Structures are given as structure tokens and as C-alpha cells.
Amino acid sequence: MTSKRIKSALISVFYKTDLDKIVALLKKNGVQIYATGGTLDFIKKLDDSVRSVESLTGYPSILGGRVKTLHPKVFGGILGRLDNESDIAEMRQYEIPALDLVIVDLYPFEETVRNTTDEAEIIEKIDIGGISLIRAGAKNFNDCLIVPSSNYYKEFMEMYERQDGCTTLDDRKRFARYAFQTSSHYDTAIFNWFAGDNATPLRYGENPHQKAVFNGNLDEVFEKLHGKDLSYNNLLDLDAGLNLIREFDEPTFAILKHNNPCGIASRPTIAEAYDAALAGDPVSAFGGVFVSNRPIDLKTAEEMNKMFFEVCVAPAYEEGVLDILFTKKNRIVLKLKSNNFPSKVYKSALNGILEQDRDLHNETKDDFKAVTNKTVDNQNDIDDLIFANKIVKHSRSNAIVLAKNKQLYASGIGQTSRVDALKQAIAKAGSFNFDLNGAVLASDAFFPFSDCVEIASMAGIKAIVQPGGSVRDQESVDACNKFGIAMVFTGYRHFKH
């Protein structure tokens, strides 16, 4: 059966938030609910027809609550194959009711680990029955829908109402995927605690012959929805991309390659932002990391799916989007939880570790000091200078960024001379047929000579933002005045190595 009406449900949850809404929907549709412990007590206040699991199994909760649902009448009801005559006969013989829906919210193991070092308390928060219910429901997705976490309550309720109390096979498979993701994450957290650290083994380091681990809790940053394991290089790109994208308030899409933005744009919609970001360098975007500061909608997903990319991260995905993005087996799809990172950054050097403050300074119009005869008065030009300056801050030094209409036209990055970075950016913009007339330029550090201004003028650059601070600043100012270019100093350098 592909479409199936939910007639019975087993609910066993730790946190009860929004459970009242689910119970109301199930009650409205005449669903028989079974529950345990605190969940039973909660539901009784909402639906007096709820039955205890003990009334089904004939056994009470024992061993201080450690054993409640671990019984053949429970798991037989979940795992029974309703298209298998033998299973049906045994279920009748042993009076096992079929369970069409299982809702679980596991003991908060990770939260407990964060809040205490008491081993006994931590051990008691290792869920046994709940994780077993999740795996059983997921295994028998043909007949049972499993909601493995409160994170999926909203999606379940919307689907349940839309389909008038029924589930499809595709629904049950999708939630089974959520279930195994939830159980995998939960077991990994337990393993990490027993291992005595928070180290996550990675496939390899920067290169296949290098071993690598990640020391930290990635689950605080994002939820992995799909794809292969993250690599060392994936994590570096994600770190660069998430630090970049949080600089922008309006809908913005960034494409990262080797820790540098190769495409980024801000637009009224995320679909428009993606198109403009991709246009910045569709060649480098191949195999890149895609980062959005808005939910991905269907239009954007359909365009993204035409490209090969390694990773996508966004704060949310609209209905139907994941079905599109999941069509590539190894594509990594992440749901962002937080991009608020520590205020300190560290890097190994020689036989020790370097520590510094994170570069959190964001220049605004108030930081711009006009130093040329021509000033920047047009709001679009001011916005473009701020936009370009944000990008150059997150590009490898020496770095030059060329932008127009809040779109990255090209950048020159990682060069040993600033003039080479500019030449690289101009050449790259030309290779993608961008007209640099009226574009702006941002530099992560001062111009040591006036040659960059001279080259920029020949390319059609109309305004420049740079820190200033060179003993030859006046030469660059004079060159700007000669060529009719506006230039502002910020007083803030943004080297990135």
C-alpha cells in the first residue's frame, strides 16, 4: 500500500513542546494513541482515550523506567509486515495491534553532557527504548511512519493535515531517512563521550595520504541532512563561507572554492542571488561549496541541481527542495543552526599555536574617509564599496575585489604582489565578459605604489576602497585625481593568510 491512513500511534517523548498540537490532530482523526510514563500523563489531560503501553504488554515499567517499551507486542506492532500473511497470522494469534505511527523524542544525551560531568546521570540519559523504536519504525517504512525527533513535528503536522490523516510511501521513506540520521547522530555523540573527547574522524586531511580529525561539536553548527561524510577541505570551505555570509543582511548567495568566494551576490530574492553569484565564475563553481543566508526555494534548488557541487548549507529548505537536492547520492546538504563562532582563532605554527582575535570589524559608510577630489555620493556606489570590502576581507591576501550592483565580478587572490592581484581580477572579469566600466574596487591592504590606480583607471573602475597607511598614499590619491576616480580610506587592514 502506497497511501495509508494512520489508525494507531505510539508516542514516547522526553520534551513535550508542541505535543499537544499533534495529539489534537490525532484525536480529531480518531487515532488510538498508546503512550508511556510522563508522555502518558501529559496526553491523558488532552485525550482520555489514550492507552498505556502497560495495558498492551501486560508488564509494568521496570528497573526504574529503563524498560518500558521493549516488548514483542510493541515491536511486533511496529515491525509487522501487513502484506505478509505469516506476520498477520502471528499478530492475530498474539493479539498484537499494528502501529501505523511512532513518535519519539530521545533522552537529551548531548544536553546532559554539556551540563554535568556526573557519569551516572549521563549514563541514564542514554536512550535504549527510544532508539530501538526509531530504528524499528524506519526499517518497516512500508507500513509505519516514524517521527524521530521534535525537529520534525512541524513537517509531520503539515503533511498530516494536507493529506487528511494519510501518509504515502514517499513520506514514510523520507521520515525513515530522518530516523536513521537521528539515530546515527545520537550514537556518534555517545561514542564521542565514551572516547573521552569530541574528536570526529574525517575521511582524510587536505590530501588522501593525510589523516585528520575535527575537534569540536559540528552538530551545534549544522544538521547534516544528506550525503557523504564531510572532509577536512569541506570544513575549511564551510568555515570560510559561513564567516563570509554572516556579513550580509539582505538575501545573499555565496559560492566558495578553496576557502575563497568565487561567486557572491545580494539580490531581492535568493533565486536571483544564486543566478548572479554563479555568473561570477561558473567554471570555479564546479565542485564548490554553496552557502545561502535565506531558505532555499524550489526555483533556486532546480537551478542549483544543474550544477555539480560538494556541499550546500542554508538556514532552511522549503517543501520539495530536499527531494531535488537529494537526487545526487554524495551531495552534502546541511541545515544551518548557528554561525556564531568563538571570538578567538587559532593556527598551529612551528612547535606551538598562534592565537588572535577574530577579525570582526565591519566597515560602514561612517568609516569611509574621502581623500580624493571626486567623492562617492551615489548610494548605489556606497553600497557596492561596502559589498566589495566585505568580500575582500574574506579573501586570501594579497586580494583585490571588483564588484558592481552587489555582484562579485572578479577577484585576484593569494598573490605575492597587489598589482598582480589586480591584473588577475581584471583578466578574470574579462574572461566572463563583465564590463568593468562603473565597477568598484576593494583592496585588503594599502597600495604601495600608484600603479594599481593607473591599471584600475584603464579598466573603467570608478571608485576604490582601501585601508590607506602607505608612505606613498599621496601618489595614489594624485593618480585618482588625475583619472577621475573616487577613493576612500577606512583605516582598517584585512590581511588573511
Side-chain angles (χ1 to χ4, degrees), residues 261-273:
C262 60
I264 181 170
S266 297
R267 290 290 185 270
T269 69
I270 204 63
E272 293 171 288

Side-chain angles (χ1 to χ4, degrees), residues 146-394:
I146 172 67
V147 181
S149 162
S150 58
N151 293 332
Y152 301 104
Y153 284 1
K154 184 175 183 289
E155 181 176 346
F156 166 73
M157 287 188 285
E158 290 174 349
M159 174 202 70
Y160 187 75
E161 285 193 285
R162 185 175 61 251
Q163 296 170 188
D164 194 28
C166 295
T167 67
T168 66
L169 183 60
D170 286 343
D171 295 329
R172 299 191 292 276
K173 276 188 174 182
R174 184 172 73 256
F175 275 81
R177 184 171 66 237
Y178 299 157
F180 284 120
Q181 176 65 40
T182 299
S183 65
S184 173
H185 165 82
Y186 196 78
D187 286 340
T188 298
I190 295 170
F191 165 79
N192 287 338
W193 181 75
F194 273 98
D197 58 35
N198 210 12
T200 302
L202 303 175
R203 296 204 309 271
Y204 50 78
E206 284 187 280
N207 302 291
H209 63 276
Q210 295 172 270
K211 292 182 179 180
V213 298
F214 176 79
N215 291 290
N217 187 0
L218 290 173
D219 296 311
E220 292 180 353
V221 182
F222 46 67
E223 178 186 0
K224 182 166 174 281
L225 304 177
H226 181 73
K228 61 185 178 181
D229 291 338
L230 287 158
S231 71
Y232 181 96
N233 293 331
N234 291 155
L235 292 177
L236 289 178
D237 281 333
L238 282 166
D239 179 72
L242 292 176
N243 277 291
L244 168 65
I245 205 73
R246 70 177 182 175
E247 303 269 11
F248 299 88
D249 295 323
E250 56 192 311
T252 302
F253 201 103
I255 301 174
L256 278 288
K257 198 69 173 288
H258 296 293
N259 311 159
N260 291 293
C262 60
I264 181 170
S266 297
R267 290 290 185 270
T269 69
I270 204 63
E272 293 171 288
Y274 169 75
D275 287 343
L278 180 63
D281 187 348
V283 175
S284 296
F286 184 86
V289 169
F290 288 11
V291 185
S292 172
N293 68 352
R294 292 291 192 280
I296 301 296
D297 56 25
L298 279 171
K299 183 178 180 181
T300 309
E302 287 166 354
E303 290 303 312
M304 289 169 58
N305 203 43
K306 297 174 183 178
M307 285 290 299
F308 167 71
F309 59 90
E310 283 267 335
V311 184
C312 172
V313 60
Y317 298 88
E318 293 185 4
E319 186 174 354
V321 166
L322 294 179
D323 293 333
I324 296 172
L325 297 182
F326 287 3
T327 55
K328 298 293 189 289
K329 181 178 68 174
N330 290 326
R331 178 184 288 163
I332 300 168
V333 181
L334 307 172
K335 181 180 178 181
L336 181 65
K337 293 180 179 178
S338 171
N339 62 350
N340 294 319
F341 302 133
S343 60
K344 299 287 185 181
V345 292
Y346 306 89
K347 182 179 289 189
S348 63
L350 302 176
N351 62 344
I353 296 174
L354 291 169
E355 174 186 327
Q356 68 170 344
D357 294 336
R358 188 178 295 278
D359 186 357
L360 296 176
H361 194 276
N362 300 308
E363 287 79 68
T364 67
K365 178 183 177 182
D366 293 338
D367 294 300
F368 289 175
K369 177 185 176 183
V371 294
T372 52
N373 295 335
K374 185 177 181 180
T375 57
V376 184
D377 300 315
N378 181 284
Q379 187 59 48
N380 289 337
D381 294 338
I382 293 171
D383 290 343
D384 277 348
L385 286 172
I386 293 172
F387 177 84
N389 200 52
K390 289 177 179 179
I391 300 170
V392 83
K393 170 183 170 182
H394 293 273

